Amino acid sequence: MKVVKTLVTVGITVGLCYALNRGWGNIPPMGNFLSPFTGFWTNAEAIAPKSELQILNIPGLQDEVTVEYDETGVPHIFAQNDHDLYLAQGYVTAKDRLWQMEFQTHFAAGRLTEIVGEKALEQDRYQRRMGSVFGAEKSFEGMMEDPKGKVALEAYSDGINAYISQLKPRDYPVEYKLLGYAPEPWTPIKSALFLKNMSFVLASGTDDLRMTNILGKYGKAIAEELFPNYPFKESPIIPEGTPLDFKPIPLPKAPVDFVGMGSNKVAEERDKGIGSNNWAVGGEKSVTGLPILSNDPHLTLSLPSIWYQVQLTAPGVNVYGSTMPGTPNVIIGFNNDIAWGVTNVGADVVDWYQVKFKDAKKEEYWHDNQWKKIQKRIETYTVKGGKTVVDTVLYTHHGPVVYLDNEKPIRDNIPTGHALRWIAHEKSQELSAFYHLNRAKNYDEYVKALGYYSAPAQNFIFASNQNDIALWVNGKFPLKAREQGKYILDGTNPAADWQGFIPQLHNPHVKNPKRGFVSSANQSSTDPKYPYYINWEFAPAERGRRINTRLQTMNKATVDSLRELQNDNYNLKAEDWLPTMLSFVQKPSQKQMAAVRVLQLWNKFNNPDEIGPTIFTVWVELLNNAIWEDDFGYDKNIPMKSPSHARTLQLILKQPDAKWFDDVRTKDKKETLTELANVTLNATIDSLTKWQNAPMGTAWAWEKYKSTDIKHLIPGLDALSKMDVKIGGGSGIVNATTGRTGPSWRMIVQLGKDKSVKGYGVFPGGQSGNPGSPHYDDMIETWRKGELNSLLFLQNKEEKSERIKQTLVLKKK
Amino acid sequence: MSAFSNNKIFSPFAGLLLALVILFQYLLPWWSMALASAIAAFLLAGSAGGAFRIGAFINILVWLAIAFWSHWRSEGILTTKIAGVLPLGGSAIALFVVTLVVGGLIGGLGALSGFQVRQLIKK
């Protein structure tokens, strides 16, 4: 009896310990997680900092490094050589962002299954089949070829590992405890993986499949008419009339027209909020007589923040700015002489080639009139719990065949049975570009640094205290015939292959233009006179047009006037569209009256409390749908895209009787624009009423409709997110804050002579990735209000500042 | 029974338990609290009921003290967030209760196991 009783007690105790020591589905390992000795409790940071001076011994250092933390938690690193500088950068970045760095590189490497199990397999497979790891390996090779890049990469990695190796399980960031795993050692290739992932975020957009389906259905003439290669209203990045300072090389001969088979999988829209703004005004337009530069990259708003601020100081370098955890150097920033920033180009660097396999064995493919051998790459996935999955990916000389015909893609704009040619598969040296930019002192050194950069192509804006401003549309661009790659290409035809690259010095650029400013907002890089093909379609022109109009009239610009422009909520699209839309509602019905009145009175600013932007946004969307759905969205199995809003507006204004306005699904009736506008206005009112279960009023406020959320990287963790941030702006607005994307780092730099440069900046989050730190989200409110923090830029470690709150001395071990 | 009966809070059993659970949990994974409680009870517990009660009580006390210190010095910055991550409606109090129930249960059961094993061997 006693034996049984004892066995039962011991059994329950051990069983309970076991059950609480492991995760169950989404439930974390609760015993460890709740224990005040090891669990989340130990991640809560004291409001008052521990001590003002901390001394640590770090293996691998060559000399002593001093790190001063300011009141926002920005580390200012003072090292005595490059090696120690990057080692310290790795160390302090890991200290604040270890979980994020590892998670993001696991994502990039297609290794999420190791953390979250089988449910991530399709995502991982997609990542690897697109060739992300293949590309990172090649890119890493390139990075290691530059001796300076090699030192930086390896020291950065050593710094991260120095931090990881002294952690006890109780010190792990809280996300490890929540998901029940432990950090692994860092390797230098992870930095390459991270950078490749930026190509995924910024340079993997592809409409080739949709365009090919349109080509197949309507023919070339209509495809080109409705999807023109230059928009109807544009203000290109390189001002019209900028003379060429190079002799263009001839374009390759266009391959013969090819109508691909396309494929029949459902389409998905590209995220419209990803993009960026930057501009710089020259000395004659600024109050200081020297340039002022502004940049705000728009990315997915997330916690921990995608950016991390740092100051890096060593002999030969003193730079401040933002970087992405996982990569050494500063990516967007300034030093005593220059400032620079980036926006995405959106070049056509993703092309699909229809593959003709010899037979079902798929070991050979037809190209250049011969059968060529398929290369195979084995990808192995380790699934949480111990299982492994092996996958073979086929490669032609173009690149990976991402999905075979019998497979279903996770992203539905990916054609099956096609090989992918993508710039991200190229060997590259992005880190060297940033290494040299961080140290550049003038225009020539900036241009030299850009020569190292491949992808994702960026509009690099520049200003210096020698009173130069410039912008290079920069990256490695394939040398193609015009529109080559607008549609799916013939994989058997060698003339359809990429024929080399545009010489880097021929990339579009402008220095000190007459208008006194340079700017970019992802719109068309150049006007159609530029001698090479970069892409047929860029981001809509509204942001760029608005910025250029404002800068044109701006004189005696200050940091504050540029800050106001960053926060500009003016809806240029409403200015373009609304008068026409309202003209279709000459006699508003009882129901339409109030909405029409709101739109008439609206000042066209997307301010948080306005109702106008809500009604306008829904109406314009529904109207565009009503016009095009019957022509381009009629069959979910044949994904197509609708003509752009800009093209649609042009059609409305110039050809109001075009056949496209008729709904072909109603056989015995011919719809007119007036009807479509009225029907969709009613539908707008109905859907908004239904959405809030309330008639038009404050419930329809723009901020509620847009609902900006800054979410934790793990889906569903709203408690670690900042939900419903009250802020204006929107897609196509200079203040490009949408529901899930927005200005992820706002920076303004006022250049100055003799070390008098002044930087201002903020990002929607905080320096720390720890939800238990006061620095996790302490910049959000400043960001929301459109304010900027003055950035502390120290000249040397002896310089005193009241803003220094903590000092960390790293000594060699 | 003396004032230091091993069924009381102020007793050699409780004292040893306190020392062992702190030491074990500082050095070993969280579940070592069960082992520490079992060892203390094996050596000194006076009765099954006493083992469970004191085991639970001391472990709750230790966990409460550390959890509260963490909560207090961080002004609850993480407690409310985690109470939202777990289905506790963002209530810090509920999170404390769940934490202490787990701590108390494992500690009490561990101590009871230790006592019962000794009874078995003694016979």
Side-chain angles (χ1 to χ4, degrees):
Chain A
M1 186 58 206
K2 253 188 191 168
V3 177
V4 175
K5 223 162 88 184
T6 308
L7 279 178
V8 168
T9 312
V10 173
I12 290 176
T13 310
V14 173
L16 209 53
C17 281
Y18 171 78
L20 290 170
N21 197 47
R22 54 160 287 182
W24 298 86
N26 287 332
I27 303 168
M30 290 303 279
N32 183 61
F33 188 69
L34 292 176
S35 163
F37 284 88
T38 58
F40 76 87
W41 299 98
T42 67
N43 297 92
E45 287 179 18
I47 293 296
K50 276 167 265 175
S51 66
E52 286 175 9
L53 178 69
Q54 213 186 342
I55 297 171
L56 293 169
N57 290 310
I58 305 292
L61 275 184
Q62 293 166 357
D63 270 302
E64 190 174 293
V65 178
T66 305
V67 184
E68 311 263 28
Y69 283 94
D70 67 28
E71 80 279 358
T72 45
V74 177
H76 303 257
I77 304 175
F78 298 90
Q80 298 174 43
N81 56 64
D82 274 2
H83 170 271
D84 288 359
L85 182 67
Y86 294 111
L87 194 147
Q89 189 184 3
Y91 187 92
V92 299
T93 311
K95 195 164 178 278
D96 278 326
R97 302 289 186 90
L98 177 61
W99 175 79
Q100 173 192 14
M101 293 163 85
E102 196 182 82
F103 184 78
Q104 288 178 335
T105 47
H106 267 62
F107 176 84
R111 291 180 54 199
L112 285 185
T113 50
E114 297 171 32
I115 305 172
V116 299
E118 193 113 34
K119 64 184 167 203
L121 187 58
E122 277 314 306
Q123 170 60 38
D124 282 353
R125 213 197 286 263
Y126 170 60
Q127 200 75 16
R128 296 213 213 167
R129 286 184 166 203
M130 286 286 283
S132 299
V133 180
F134 168 71
E137 284 167 5
K138 285 178 96 169
S139 170
F140 179 61
E141 218 179 281
M143 289 174 189
M144 296 294 273
E145 278 169 15
D146 176 5
K148 287 174 173 145
K150 184 170 184 278
V151 166
L153 259 185
E154 291 181 340
Y156 186 77
S157 173
D158 289 346
I160 298 168
N161 285 327
Y163 178 71
I164 294 173
S165 64
Q166 47 89 39
L167 293 180
K168 295 187 183 69
R170 79 169 75 95
D171 305 319
Y172 293 166
V174 71
E175 290 90 347
Y176 287 105
K177 300 176 183 177
L178 205 50
L179 297 173
Y181 71 113
E184 66 176 22
W186 186 267
T187 51
I189 196 175
K190 289 192 175 199
S191 297
L193 278 164
F194 184 85
L195 285 168
K196 282 296 151 186
N197 197 47
M198 288 319 293
S199 275
F200 233 117
V201 174
L202 296 171
S204 68
T206 173
D207 279 329
D208 305 12
L209 169 58
R210 295 185 190 123
M211 290 307 299
T212 286
N213 287 339
I214 291 166
L215 190 64
K217 164 88 183 168
Y218 293 106
K220 182 95 178 218
I222 283 179
E224 288 297 311
E225 185 199 329
L226 291 183
F227 300 87
N229 301 309
Y230 195 69
F232 137 74
K233 286 186 181 181
E234 183 58 289
S235 176
I237 293 173
I238 304 303
E240 289 168 25
T242 303
L244 298 183
D245 58 4
F246 56 87
K247 191 174 173 300
I249 59 172
L251 292 187
K253 202 169 152 284
V256 286
D257 274 359
F258 176 70
V259 183
M261 294 186 297
S263 65
N264 47 359
K265 299 287 173 353
V266 189
E268 166 193 298
E269 272 313 304
R270 174 185 340 189
D271 197 334
K272 288 202 182 86
I274 302 274
S276 309
N277 305 324
N278 63 21
W279 59 81
V281 295
E284 65 276 24
K285 260 184 166 320
S286 86
V287 77
T288 58
L290 283 175
I292 310 177
L293 176 142
S294 163
N295 188 198
D296 55 295
H298 314 145
L299 294 167
T300 300
L301 299 172
S302 63
L303 289 170
S305 297
I306 188 148
W307 296 101
Y308 183 73
Q309 291 177 60
V310 68
Q311 179 176 1
L312 300 173
T313 309
V317 63
N318 184 10
V319 63
Y320 186 110
S322 262
T323 186
M324 293 183 167
T327 52
N329 300 298
V330 163
I331 292 179
I332 294 174
F334 62 94
N335 58 36
N336 275 312
D337 301 301
I338 72 153
W340 77 95
V342 297
T343 67
N344 195 35
V345 174
D348 184 5
V349 291
V350 176
D351 284 324
W352 296 95
Y353 290 87
Q354 189 172 305
V355 181
K356 185 175 165 189
F357 290 108
K358 187 173 186 183
D359 50 37
K361 281 190 290 186
K362 296 192 166 58
E363 280 170 351
E364 287 174 85
Y365 69 104
W366 187 250
H367 180 257
D368 199 9
N369 294 316
Q370 52 185 304
W371 293 110
K372 294 189 173 173
K373 227 177 137 35
I374 290 278
Q375 303 293 320
K376 291 181 178 172
R377 187 182 157 101
I378 311 288
E379 298 285 1
T380 308
Y381 307 82
T382 310
V383 183
K384 188 179 187 179
K387 203 173 100 182
T388 55
V389 177
V390 178
D391 188 29
T392 306
V393 189
L394 309 182
Y395 279 71
T396 68
H397 71 286
H398 307 101
V401 182
V402 180
Y403 290 100
L404 298 174
D405 276 327
N406 57 351
E407 293 168 328
K408 183 172 163 35
I410 185 173
R411 296 272 186 290
D412 303 324
N413 57 346
I414 306 295
T416 57
H418 289 69
L420 166 67
R421 179 81 169 100
W422 186 20
I423 193 69
H425 297 149
E426 292 287 313
K427 192 156 151 178
S428 64
Q429 298 193 315
E430 283 82 13
L431 283 181
S432 302
F434 292 114
Y435 178 92
H436 291 288
L437 265 179
N438 285 196
R439 288 159 176 79
K441 291 188 170 65
N442 53 48
Y443 176 77
D444 290 341
E445 291 181 12
Y446 146 82
V447 172
K448 222 177 119 197
L450 295 190
Y452 290 96
Y453 190 88
S454 295
Q458 299 291 300
N459 300 302
F460 279 88
I461 200 153
F462 168 87
S464 77
N465 64 4
Q466 296 106 34
N467 225 342
D468 285 327
I469 54 171
L471 191 150
W472 276 70
V473 178
N474 191 58
K476 209 167 168 181
F477 299 117
L479 184 64
K480 298 199 268 188
R482 292 208 178 269
E483 297 172 50
Q484 180 185 342
K486 181 173 182 174
Y487 308 96
I488 281 171
L489 295 164
D490 180 1
T492 67
N493 180 3
D497 288 359
W498 288 6
Q499 312 287 329
F501 295 92
I502 298 176
Q504 192 258 334
L505 290 173
H506 296 191
N507 284 347
H509 58 276
V510 60
K511 183 187 176 192
N512 299 328
K514 269 202 207 78
R515 64 183 188 183
F517 67 90
V518 287
S519 82
S520 74
N522 319 102
Q523 77 273 40
S524 303
S525 303
T526 66
D527 66 33
K529 290 197 199 77
Y530 177 67
Y532 301 101
Y533 167 70
I534 292 182
N535 204 346
W536 66 275
E537 185 181 53
F538 292 84
E542 285 89 8
R543 272 184 294 123
R545 286 168 51 211
R546 173 68 177 170
I547 290 166
N548 289 348
T549 310
R550 291 273 321 258
L551 290 175
Q552 202 80 55
T553 57
M554 198 181 279
N555 283 302
K556 296 206 161 49
T558 62
V559 168
D560 228 38
S561 44
L562 296 194
R563 184 184 63 81
E564 274 171 24
L565 180 52
Q566 283 186 338
N567 288 283
D568 182 293
N569 281 339
Y570 189 69
N571 192 329
L572 193 56
K573 190 176 188 173
E575 181 185 300
D576 291 345
W577 279 81
L578 254 189
T580 312
M581 288 164 77
L582 288 172
S583 75
F584 294 128
V585 194
Q586 290 295 350
K587 294 192 193 109
S589 65
Q590 193 69 31
K591 177 176 173 177
Q592 294 170 334
M593 197 79 85
V596 167
R597 185 101 187 106
V598 163
L599 291 172
Q600 282 168 340
L601 292 176
W602 176 36
N603 62 7
K604 301 196 179 65
F605 280 85
N606 273 22
N607 292 334
D609 293 319
E610 294 281 350
I611 300 169
T614 310
I615 300 172
F616 169 71
T617 302
V618 177
W619 189 14
V620 84
E621 204 56 52
L622 290 180
L623 178 59
N624 274 275
N625 275 348
I627 295 171
W628 298 118
E629 202 195 355
D630 55 319
D631 309 301
F632 294 97
Y634 63 98
D635 185 346
K636 286 218 177 303
N637 289 319
I638 307 170
M640 296 191 228
K641 63 184 260 167
S642 296
S644 68
H645 286 192
R647 181 69 186 96
T648 308
L649 181 62
Q650 187 185 21
L651 205 64
I652 291 173
L653 295 174
K654 303 278 155 73
Q655 295 164 261
D657 298 321
K659 66 166 186 170
W660 303 106
F661 299 120
D662 176 37
D663 187 340
V664 295
R665 292 169 299 194
T666 54
K667 291 278 176 252
D668 45 0
K669 193 167 171 294
K670 192 172 185 318
E671 283 77 11
T672 63
L673 262 173
T674 307
E675 280 176 65
L676 294 182
N678 278 282
V679 168
T680 52
L681 177 57
N682 290 340
T684 300
I685 297 164
D686 290 343
S687 73
L688 288 172
T689 308
K690 199 172 153 207
W691 160 61
Q692 281 296 48
N693 198 17
M696 194 177 75
T698 51
W700 292 18
W702 176 235
E703 55 119 349
K704 292 197 177 120
Y705 181 75
K706 176 162 73 88
S707 178
T708 297
D709 298 329
I710 306 172
K711 289 195 179 178
H712 192 277
L713 288 171
I714 302 175
L717 290 189
D718 289 359
L720 303 185
S721 311
K722 205 80 177 177
M723 309 297 282
D724 304 322
V725 180
K726 184 174 179 178
I727 184 169
S731 173
I733 312 294
V734 177
N735 174 15
T737 313
T738 69
R740 294 286 294 113
T741 65
S744 57
W745 161 236
R746 281 194 177 124
M747 179 185 82
I748 294 180
V749 181
Q750 175 183 301
L751 279 297
K753 297 261 187 213
D754 306 316
K755 304 184 173 173
S756 63
V757 61
K758 282 200 168 71
Y760 302 83
V762 73
F763 56 68
Q767 282 290 100
S768 173
N770 178 9
S773 161
H775 290 314
Y776 178 65
D777 54 10
D778 57 350
M779 280 188 262
I780 291 180
E781 187 54 15
T782 311
W783 174 85
R784 188 190 71 78
K785 288 191 290 194
E787 294 168 2
L788 300 169
N789 292 326
S790 160
L791 306 175
L792 178 64
F793 185 59
L794 300 168
Q795 288 304 328
N796 51 58
K797 76 172 169 195
E798 282 72 39
E799 189 179 332
K800 294 279 168 270
S801 165
E802 283 181 3
R803 295 174 59 185
I804 299 294
K805 298 297 173 201
Q806 257 187 303
T807 303
L808 187 63
V809 178
L810 306 177
K811 287 187 188 286
K812 60 176 176 175
K813 202 170 185 176
Chain B
M1 273 195 188
S2 78
F4 290 101
S5 149
N6 277 334
N7 287 329
K8 291 265 167 63
I9 298 304
F10 297 101
S11 64
F13 168 46
L16 180 68
L17 185 63
L18 182 67
L20 284 186
V21 294
I22 292 175
L23 185 71
F24 272 50
Q25 288 184 86
Y26 184 74
L27 297 172
L28 299 169
W30 72 277
W31 48 259
S32 65
M33 65 192 300
L35 198 63
S37 306
I39 293 171
F42 181 87
L43 295 173
L44 293 177
S47 69
F52 185 84
R53 277 198 308 276
I54 306 254
F57 182 80
I58 294 290
N59 276 291
I60 286 173
L61 202 68
V62 169
W63 274 33
L64 176 64
I66 298 175
F68 186 76
W69 181 69
S70 153
H71 176 80
W72 174 78
R73 73 183 195 129
S74 65
E75 295 176 9
I77 188 166
L78 196 52
T79 328
T80 43
K81 285 178 185 158
I82 296 298
V85 171
L86 302 177
L88 299 172
S91 159
I93 293 175
L95 183 58
F96 269 96
V97 169
V98 171
T99 300
L100 299 181
V101 165
V102 169
L105 202 61
I106 299 292
L109 282 170
L112 182 61
S113 302
F115 177 78
Q116 288 181 347
V117 169
R118 187 186 65 187
Q119 293 299 96
L120 215 57
I121 292 169
K122 229 172 61 177
K123 198 177 68 174

